[in-house]
Amino acid sequence: MLKVNVKASESYDILIESGLLAKTGEIINSLVKSKRIAIVTDDIVDVLYGDVVVESLKCNGFDVCKYVFPNGEHSKCSDNLNNIYDFLCENSITRTDSIIALGGGVVGDITGYASATYLRGVDYIQIPTTLLAQVDSSVGGKTAIDIPAGKNLVGAFKQPKCVICDIDTLKTLKRETFSDGMAEVIKYGMIRQKELFDILASHNMDTIWEVIQDVVFRCVSIKRDVVQNDEFDKGERMILNFGHTLGHAVEGYHHYETYTHGSAVAIGMCLITEKALAYGIGSQSMLNNLIECIKNYELPTSVPVQLKDLIPFCLADKKRESNNINIILCEDIGKCMVKKMPITDFYSFMGIS
Amino acid sequence: MLKVNVKASESYDILIESGLLAKTGEIINSLVKSKRIAIVTDDIVDVLYGDVVVESLKCNGFDVCKYVFPNGEHSKCSDNLNNIYDFLCENSITRTDSIIALGGGVVGDITGYASATYLRGVDYIQIPTTLLAQVDSSVGGKTAIDIPAGKNLVGAFKQPKCVICDIDTLKTLKRETFSDGMAEVIKYGMIRQKELFDILASHNMDTIWEVIQDVVFRCVSIKRDVVQNDEFDKGERMILNFGHTLGHAVEGYHHYETYTHGSAVAIGMCLITEKALAYGIGSQSMLNNLIECIKNYELPTSVPVQLKDLIPFCLADKKRESNNINIILCEDIGKCMVKKMPITDFYSFMGIS
């Protein structure tokens, strides 16, 4: 079993291995205060993995209740959050009990947020079942819901007691969902580790399975390093946003319908790297390598939208600071920088006069 | 000007003086990152104090927007919270901007919670305008909203950048609203400071004005001391709950309609002290002094409800830990203890077989 320890305001382990779901009860036994636990999951994940997790918990003496909501980003909303609160109340979950988030990013984000705010915070355990959730949303303590004005605009920092990444769950993902997660994996290579990027560049959607445990471990370790230096997202952590300002804009412009998060981030990474090149940062060969690697994982590298139409969505980015915007630029593969620029300069950086 | 410094995860000052509202802009000038600020208040407070605060901010170069919602506990809900988020988005409030909570406990709690969660946290300033808010809810960083299952069941810890207590605002309170706040004031005397209790016992609703600034200062200082030792409510802070487990039950039993929070806490303090006496903790003279003092401030000391009907509401208390409940008992005026007992023992403690 691979283990990454995160030293945040509360220290916790991220465990990575095949077959971990069946060991859930045994793993969390020593980590939680009471034997009462609530599982929050979605209907697709529940059918696949609900039973094995419940079984493992019951075998270890846990008293389990379970809340299942419809799969999809539309469930990451205030209404569903209120339903989760009601469920926790109805089942008398108290401050010493715990919550398990079993599923992908949506489940992790909303369940983490519910755990951060219900009774002003109860312990929770992340069991991410998608690649995106394993390498990204389950690490770092960011939790959130969407509101009508935008994605993740409401949230909290809440570190889990433990993150359980069962690599086997990745095998049941739809091809495009796996691909979606690969965009973030490529991002980690770009911003922090040439070695990881080289592994990715030498594989593709069909061969990456051979090294997936190592890849997840590398991504989680990189995110851990970045997050540990900047738990509350005041500086270095911004580099994790590489490709995201434009990515979010692509998602937003299409009402979060046409492009998955990963596809949008893939496009965002290409776009920002292209603009950085015109600005004198990076190189043509780096851009070519990035585009080629993204194509290996069946992700898009451009979008049929005029840049000027994306700008309003960039300006609504959470990373904006009053009249400045922070953008992340790669100077070389594995090396990036945060560039703060006035909104006015951002227009010209994007080549819009 | 009296000043109480709170050393929490972020250090901040609580300022207490007459006429502070007109100095809002000048006070917060050096505390906030940008000149953009959103005020959240209710319709009653807005009419009384909206203009003076906006004026002071504008004179100090702030760009101000204001959100006003209907006065009352019913506004401390998820719907109003969502409206506040929408307002903040529409007015492009970013992470470097700030929010002011101008009003009583409802305004402070929901605005603090919005500040804690909007964009995962923006700075906020508390300007409490009721006695209850000045001595209690504005100190300690607890923020919350109500959900159908109960009051304050969803919330976050969020320390303000500054708390501005303008004593003059207490003069416009309705007599029963002022009285409502006095219950918490008496609580501080009971749990921590005989000197304060003696001041209160020697005054009444009409004469307490002579010493109100000192009284607010003492209460805020006591709460500061307790909160500083236990920012995240894991232990000592529970003593602030004296009278509250039964108080919340009284409120809940009457659907939060018949009794104000202060009235319910006053009843709760009398009830628990009476039961403690039967249990061998405290003394008859202490109970008599408490009842007399509470009557000085026109608050009730008993409730025409059978105790067994209050128990289910006690068990829904946030302070409950799985099968145990923590209750706060005064051994003497100014001295209290936390007693953790199994739910089963709580029934017999309450004299219910």
Side-chain angles (χ1 to χ4, degrees):
Chain A
M1 183 165 65
L2 297 174
K3 187 192 283 192
V4 177
N5 181 263
V6 184
K7 284 182 186 57
S9 50
E10 291 190 68
S11 159
Y12 63 95
D13 286 329
I14 300 167
L15 310 176
I16 306 163
E17 199 188 25
S18 293
L20 282 185
L21 285 190
K23 297 178 189 161
T24 304
E26 173 184 342
I27 292 168
I28 69 174
N29 229 338
S30 58
L31 298 173
V32 294
K33 294 176 208 135
S34 93
K35 282 285 187 178
R36 180 129 184 81
I37 206 153
I39 298 175
V40 179
T41 188
D42 71 33
D43 50 1
I44 292 182
V45 175
D46 183 43
V47 168
L48 292 166
Y49 305 116
D51 286 349
V52 60
V53 174
V54 169
E55 194 55 33
S56 167
L57 289 165
K58 286 192 172 166
C59 282
N60 283 273
F62 283 92
D63 176 18
V64 188
C65 58
K66 187 174 72 178
Y67 179 75
V68 182
F69 62 77
N71 175 277
E73 184 78 30
H74 64 278
S75 284
K76 210 171 118 179
C77 64
S78 155
D79 284 348
N80 190 32
L81 178 69
N82 286 334
N83 291 342
I84 294 173
Y85 291 142
D86 291 345
F87 169 81
L88 297 172
C89 288
E90 281 158 19
N91 286 277
S92 303
I93 295 297
T94 72
R95 282 186 179 164
T96 48
D97 303 325
S98 316
I99 301 174
I100 285 179
L102 172 67
V106 168
V107 170
D109 282 359
I110 194 168
T111 308
Y113 185 63
S115 307
T117 53
Y118 175 68
L119 307 182
R120 291 197 192 91
V122 294
D123 288 344
Y124 86 116
I125 293 102
Q126 286 272 22
I127 309 186
T129 58
T130 65
L131 180 58
L132 182 59
Q134 291 191 357
V135 301
D136 181 29
S137 46
S138 71
V139 195
K142 280 194 185 178
T143 69
I145 58 163
D146 303 335
I147 58 174
K151 279 180 70 172
N152 296 327
L153 291 186
V154 165
F157 289 94
K158 173 80 177 172
Q159 305 299 338
K161 297 300 282 183
C162 176
V163 181
I164 300 172
C165 297
D166 184 339
I167 296 298
D168 290 348
T169 62
L170 305 181
K171 291 178 185 153
T172 56
L173 295 177
K174 282 189 287 188
R175 194 170 176 90
E176 56 265 39
T177 308
F178 184 81
S179 177
D180 187 44
M182 285 306 299
E184 295 284 350
V185 172
I186 295 167
K187 180 197 76 178
Y188 287 114
M190 285 296 289
I191 61 170
R192 217 42 191 280
Q193 197 181 95
K194 188 171 184 310
E195 205 177 319
L196 169 61
F197 187 88
D198 290 344
I199 293 170
L200 304 174
S202 69
H203 282 88
N204 60 38
M205 276 291 279
D206 299 308
T207 64
I208 193 70
W209 288 104
E210 299 159 15
V211 290
I212 195 69
Q213 185 168 2
D214 177 54
V215 165
V216 170
F217 177 73
R218 283 174 185 272
C219 292
V220 165
S221 302
I222 293 170
K223 182 145 188 186
R224 185 268 316 269
D225 292 345
V226 173
V227 163
Q228 231 166 241
N229 288 334
D230 179 23
E231 182 175 357
F232 297 111
D233 203 9
K234 304 286 186 190
E236 182 183 337
R237 194 161 171 164
M238 278 196 268
I239 69 171
L240 297 172
N241 236 38
F242 176 58
H244 280 61
T245 300
L246 281 159
H248 287 151
V250 168
E251 286 182 277
Y253 179 84
H254 295 91
H255 310 287
Y256 298 95
E257 281 163 6
T258 319
Y259 293 90
T260 62
H261 179 67
S263 300
V265 167
I267 294 164
M269 291 192 288
C270 293
L271 267 181
I272 201 77
T273 302
E274 190 190 313
K275 292 300 163 189
L277 186 56
Y279 192 73
I281 293 172
S283 66
Q284 186 64 51
S285 68
M286 179 181 75
L287 177 59
N288 295 346
N289 287 337
L290 172 63
I291 291 174
E292 199 174 332
C293 186
I294 287 176
K295 286 182 174 166
N296 283 2
Y297 297 94
E298 302 169 7
L299 289 159
T301 58
S302 64
V303 65
V305 174
Q306 290 207 40
L307 278 182
K308 70 171 174 50
D309 295 331
L310 295 179
I311 301 290
F313 294 92
C314 294
L315 300 186
D317 196 272
K318 283 198 301 303
K319 296 288 181 293
R320 181 174 161 190
E321 297 176 354
S322 274
N323 294 317
N324 292 303
I325 189 166
N326 290 301
I327 52 172
I328 319 304
L329 307 175
C330 277
E331 301 160 90
D332 211 341
I333 288 174
K335 193 172 171 226
C336 68
M337 59 185 285
V338 179
K339 178 105 190 126
K340 177 189 278 203
M341 56 173 74
I343 301 295
T344 45
D345 292 7
F346 180 62
Y347 279 88
S348 61
F349 172 86
M350 293 298 292
I352 296 162
S353 54
Chain B
M1 183 166 66
L2 297 173
K3 189 192 281 193
V4 177
N5 181 262
V6 184
K7 285 183 185 57
S9 50
E10 292 190 68
S11 159
Y12 63 95
D13 286 330
I14 301 167
L15 311 175
I16 306 163
E17 200 188 23
S18 292
L20 282 185
L21 285 188
K23 296 178 189 162
T24 303
E26 159 184 356
I27 292 169
I28 69 174
N29 229 338
S30 58
L31 298 173
V32 294
K33 295 176 206 135
S34 92
K35 282 286 188 180
R36 182 129 183 80
I37 205 152
I39 298 175
V40 178
T41 188
D42 71 32
D43 50 1
I44 292 182
V45 176
D46 184 44
V47 167
L48 291 165
Y49 305 116
D51 286 350
V52 59
V53 173
V54 169
E55 194 54 34
S56 167
L57 288 165
K58 286 192 172 165
C59 283
N60 283 272
F62 282 92
D63 176 17
V64 187
C65 57
K66 187 174 71 179
Y67 179 76
V68 182
F69 62 76
N71 176 277
E73 184 78 29
H74 63 279
S75 284
K76 210 171 118 178
C77 64
S78 155
D79 283 350
N80 191 30
L81 178 68
N82 286 333
N83 290 341
I84 294 173
Y85 291 142
D86 291 346
F87 168 81
L88 297 172
C89 288
E90 280 158 19
N91 286 277
S92 303
I93 296 296
T94 71
R95 282 185 179 165
T96 48
D97 303 326
S98 314
I99 301 175
I100 285 179
L102 172 67
V106 169
V107 170
D109 282 0
I110 193 168
T111 308
Y113 185 63
S115 306
T117 53
Y118 176 68
L119 307 182
R120 291 198 192 89
V122 295
D123 288 344
Y124 87 115
I125 293 102
Q126 286 271 22
I127 309 186
T129 58
T130 66
L131 180 57
L132 182 58
Q134 290 191 358
V135 301
D136 181 29
S137 47
S138 71
V139 194
K142 279 194 184 177
T143 69
I145 58 164
D146 303 334
I147 58 174
K151 279 181 70 173
N152 297 326
L153 291 185
V154 165
F157 289 94
K158 171 82 177 171
Q159 305 299 336
K161 296 301 281 183
C162 177
V163 181
I164 300 171
C165 297
D166 185 338
I167 297 297
D168 290 348
T169 61
L170 306 182
K171 293 178 186 153
T172 55
L173 295 178
K174 283 188 287 188
R175 194 169 176 90
E176 57 264 38
T177 309
F178 184 81
S179 177
D180 187 46
M182 284 306 299
E184 295 284 349
V185 172
I186 295 167
K187 180 196 77 179
Y188 288 114
M190 285 295 289
I191 60 170
R192 216 45 190 280
Q193 198 181 92
K194 187 170 184 312
E195 205 178 320
L196 169 61
F197 187 87
D198 290 345
I199 293 171
L200 303 175
S202 68
H203 281 90
N204 61 37
M205 274 293 279
D206 298 309
T207 64
I208 192 71
W209 288 104
E210 298 159 16
V211 291
I212 194 69
Q213 185 168 1
D214 177 52
V215 165
V216 170
F217 177 72
R218 283 174 186 270
C219 293
V220 166
S221 302
I222 293 171
K223 181 145 187 186
R224 184 269 315 268
D225 292 345
V226 173
V227 163
Q228 233 167 238
N229 287 335
D230 179 24
E231 181 175 358
F232 297 111
D233 203 9
K234 304 284 186 190
E236 184 183 335
R237 193 159 172 166
M238 278 195 266
I239 69 171
L240 297 171
N241 236 38
F242 176 58
H244 280 62
T245 300
L246 281 160
H248 287 151
V250 169
E251 286 182 277
Y253 179 84
H254 295 91
H255 311 287
Y256 298 95
E257 281 162 7
T258 318
Y259 293 91
T260 62
H261 179 68
S263 300
V265 167
I267 294 164
M269 290 191 290
C270 294
L271 267 181
I272 201 78
T273 302
E274 191 190 311
K275 293 299 164 191
L277 186 55
Y279 192 74
I281 292 171
S283 65
Q284 186 65 49
S285 67
M286 179 181 75
L287 177 59
N288 295 346
N289 288 337
L290 172 63
I291 291 174
E292 199 174 332
C293 186
I294 287 176
K295 286 181 175 166
N296 283 1
Y297 298 95
E298 301 167 8
L299 289 160
T301 59
S302 65
V303 67
V305 175
Q306 291 207 39
L307 279 182
K308 69 171 175 49
D309 295 331
L310 295 178
I311 301 291
F313 294 92
C314 293
L315 300 186
D317 196 273
K318 283 199 299 301
K319 296 289 180 293
R320 179 175 161 189
E321 297 177 354
S322 273
N323 295 318
N324 292 302
I325 189 165
N326 290 301
I327 53 174
I328 318 304
L329 307 174
C330 278
E331 300 161 272
D332 211 341
I333 288 175
K335 192 170 171 227
C336 68
M337 58 184 285
V338 179
K339 178 107 188 123
K340 176 190 278 203
M341 56 174 73
I343 300 296
T344 45
D345 292 7
F346 181 61
Y347 278 87
S348 61
F349 173 86
M350 292 298 293
I352 295 161
S353 53

